[in-house]
Amino acid sequence: MSEQLTLYTAKICPYAQRTEIALAEADARFTRYEIDLRNKPEWYLPKVPAIAYGGPQVPPDQPSPESVKLNESLVLVEFVADLYPNSGILPKDPVLRAKARLFIDAVSNKFSPANFSVVHNDGDPEQLVQALEHLQSLLPPTGFAVGEYSLADIAIAPFLGRLHLNLANDLGGFPEGKGEGERILKLLQSPKLARFQEYTKALLDRPSFVATFDKDHILQSGKRRFAELRAKKYGA
Amino acid sequence: MSEQLTLYTAKICPYAQRTEIALAEADARFTRYEIDLRNKPEWYLPKVPAIAYGGPQVPPDQPSPESVKLNESLVLVEFVADLYPNSGILPKDPVLRAKARLFIDAVSNKFSPANFSVVHNDGDPEQLVQALEHLQSLLPPTGFAVGEYSLADIAIAPFLGRLHLNLANDLGGFPEGKGEGERILKLLQSPKLARFQEYTKALLDRPSFVATFDKDHILQSGKRRFAELRAKKYGA
């Protein structure tokens, strides 16, 4: 891979972190450009994350029309896996690949809606517990989603990192200071989710995760964002 | 690929046809087992389509616990591409792969909801026209979704085949005999969709499509299904 690769990303965004983890796992050389999602530069049109690939070496804030522009986080993770076949994020075995993609399908269609409900406080947190139990049922006895670390783990880790950080700081769509963050966190710590907890710990300890998860920045941005959401929902 | 592969499928189902087209493109040897979706056998638990891969050679209606069970049509198409790298359905170039996956993302998130609305008559058919215009904007000047035939084309072809067949036979969620099928078909034949029409024709002429699209069966099943839907919506 000798073409230039520029990643347009935002530390706050879990979708963007997927792509950053993939690039970290691949030990890729790339130009990282942080987009302020609350104040997008005028020249920046697509969603975050996006990759500009190939074309001439140009300053990232002057993207060349000659580079290929790609987006959608899961497409970008597969793209990084294809550019760096030795990154290991795409298993070699077709059956493990299929299992990784089925896990991602469950993340997108079962976990994400339940997680979104907790974040916005418009559903029963018990649904999130059920979604995690389902994901847990897909896990092998030890190791990551398909044993070895893969794109399946990359798909969920950024969301689990933010969920735990937010709940531990009483951040969410629920009212502040009523112990709701702690209560939901306790649901996630139920013994029936023991295997999933072990899996979560391994995900969040992974060096590629740690290196791309700016805890302080995400916490500060989260405080601002949830303050706004709560003001809207419950009045200032 | 020497492991046994059994496909559980249904001619009526566009998702299932995706997997059948992929297997036809790969010239794969497999056991095909038709599931009657209106009268599912008791031993058959998963959704259609599903693949049982590996394990001993067994009669398809007695699946072995030793085979791996996989489902989700897009996961199965990628699985077939991985088993048969020479099938050509997964482009070799990482950029083309990413573009194929972006096209599929637009099929899932833009085309499918609009198509579903037409089928159930609960939205404005103009939304479908807009979705097709968007897909058209992703097409190269000639050829398939990314030039060469790929999994992107497999993702949409079964839906276009059924849409055209149904509309031409006045089948849909709309009332019967009011010319509504013809009217929507005319919208799709608008000159502004000329490139998409050419693309659709190439998709539906593809031998792997023709071989897996049992027109008479799909039409007869459609007549029965839409008669039921209409009776429910508009009374008998």
Side-chain angles (χ1 to χ4, degrees), chain A residues 15 68 89 122 161 169 186-187 209:
Chain A
Y15 298 96
V68 178
I89 57 182
D122 58 7
N169 287 279
K186 275 207 179 113
L187 289 178
F209 178 86

Side-chain angles (χ1 to χ4, degrees), chain A residues 140-209:
Chain A
T142 60
F144 292 101
V146 298
E148 58 191 89
Y149 190 81
S150 76
L151 69 180
D153 309 304
I154 293 174
I156 194 167
F159 294 89
L160 292 176
R162 283 159 181 77
L163 177 67
H164 283 268
L165 181 66
N166 287 336
L167 293 177
N169 287 279
D170 199 32
L171 293 177
F174 42 79
E176 196 178 355
K178 310 265 184 195
E180 187 62 6
E182 202 181 344
R183 189 182 75 81
I184 300 173
L185 208 50
K186 275 207 179 113
L187 289 178
L188 305 187
Q189 287 158 352
S190 150
K192 68 181 170 182
L193 287 170
R195 172 70 182 100
F196 196 83
Q197 288 147 18
E198 177 196 55
Y199 171 62
T200 302
K201 185 173 181 326
L203 287 179
L204 305 189
D205 284 347
R206 183 94 177 169
S208 62
F209 178 86

